[in-house]
Amino acid sequence: MITILSIILFTLLVLIGKSRGFKTFGIFYLNLFLILVYLFLISIGLNAILHAIIICIIVSATTLFGLNEVNLKTKSSFKAIMIVLIFIFVLTFFLGKYANIQGFSAESLEAIGGYSFDLNYDMTNVLIGMFLIMVIGTIIDTSISVSSALNEVYINNPYLNQKDLYKSGMNIGKDILSTTINTLYFALVAEFIGFFMWHYGSSFGYIINYKSFVVEISKLLLSFIASILIIPITSYITSKALIKDK
Amino acid sequence: MKKKYKYLIAIIISLLFILFIYNDHFLYKRSILKVDKIVEKVEDNESTKEKHITQTIYGTIKNGKDKGRKIKVINHTSTSGVYDEQVHNNSELFVEVKSGDTAIGITGVKRDKYIAVLLVIFFNSIIFVAGQKGFKTLLSLLVNIVISFLAIFMFQKHAGTWNMLLLYLFVSALFVTISLYITNGKSKKTLASVLSSIASFIVSFGLAFLIIKLYKKPIPYWTLEYIEAVHDYENFFYVTILLSGLGAIMDIAITISSSLNELIEKNPKITKHNLVKSGREICKDIIGTMNNVMLFTCFTSVIPMTFLLMKNGIVLGDALKMYSQVELIVVLTSCISIVLAIPISLYISTFILHSYKKKGDDK
């Protein structure tokens, strides 16, 4: 099944996107491969947070510099992505430490019941690693859109100062923002529908404190926050770099 | 100056909100225990090297008729925390109390405050970055959430009689129409993007449906999270496929229709042929950017489960086959629908915007 779907995806990408479609397909499978490498690394006992950060850096570098090229806008995007990643790390670190949302909820009990829980490995780290890898896709996408658009603005109006450039970056970002939030909402909404069908009839107070609900809503809100914060940071760094380059 | 006041007010409201959620114990019927002291007894499991911890928790009840009572409760936990909670000094727990000083057991952890903090960060950042447009985005998000809930209620009320897939096909069309009209206003551009989105999701979903139906081997869709909540496993799987790519399809449709609209406005005499030609160039730029978003957002949810399987001695390939195959199918079908949305949106938008333009010329 996966082979059939991959072939269809490949054909469509190449038909519509030509060489860029080809590259996209390559990057997509490289990223999938990197997620699997991550799973392998943590399963042999390596640190889940540290390796999630390393994987995120590799993913950003290959997507930015591979799909596009090494230039001022991709370099600025890369810096901005790292800053947002650090912020999300701090946020998820505290969330993981205090909210007790690691591991599994009662819904998964049937699936995990047959296995040993004595992993000798803190599941909180796996959770933080998952959050970090989850947000990287959307921040790369938003960041590159903002920095390339900003670059276009600068080429067309080379006399703009940094403040104006930053402002137009924010304006571009505003347009991207609503569609990005929509995309993320629908990407995760099926899980919510399943959750609410499972817990149909439970009280509001029960649900908002329930482990798997907090995990799902954190996924959603963390990706929202990351994709919003990347906009001003990319605009600032790119506008500064463009002016400095003059 | 005025902007500064707005931010100040937003921050004050946020802080008050967090303060309220941190002290909302009176809203709960279940007894909440605030931890005062924890005594831990650690036991090593020789063969697995896992530490099993028995926590004796001393705390005070914060709400209800037992408010102020000192209670003791036992919690069993481990260093891995696969299916147990390690209680911290500032944790608050839902407990079941009877007479005496020992609670029967812990029924949950109070986690609403963490959601509140994340919500506040989200609201503040969206208002700081997008201002008024942020409100529109929030409104469309809220409407989508309300529709999602209504659909769940309707479905559960008519459980067994309604077809989940048909319901969500209808709901998807509703999602698309309402959120695009809220965020972009009423215009021919929006109309073009709504029709392109609907056509795209119908075509791409039909394709996915056909491939899966024609495929002989069974797909283990029962490994999807929460699927046991629904009696109709197969249709829940199709609904997941349908919804996952929907947002991205809308993104593609609105990008293409606005850029085509720009082209027409800049050059009202542009021919249909040239419009499609320029549209193709735009398509090349936007192709594939969303694929990675789908991959990272959807596929990462398999990490904890696959990790557990691998730690139990199952090799990566088998763990993926057992558990992650379905998620990957969902990601791949969404990617296919995103790519398919590009030519579909291009032709529908060209057709609608160009015919509108002609009408304008006649006047």
Side-chain angles (χ1 to χ4, degrees), chain B residues 245-263:
Chain B
L246 200 60
I249 288 177
M250 283 152 73
D251 190 346
I252 300 274
I254 191 71
T255 311
I256 291 182
S257 76
S258 354
S259 3
L260 290 184
N261 197 46
E262 277 293 310
L263 286 174

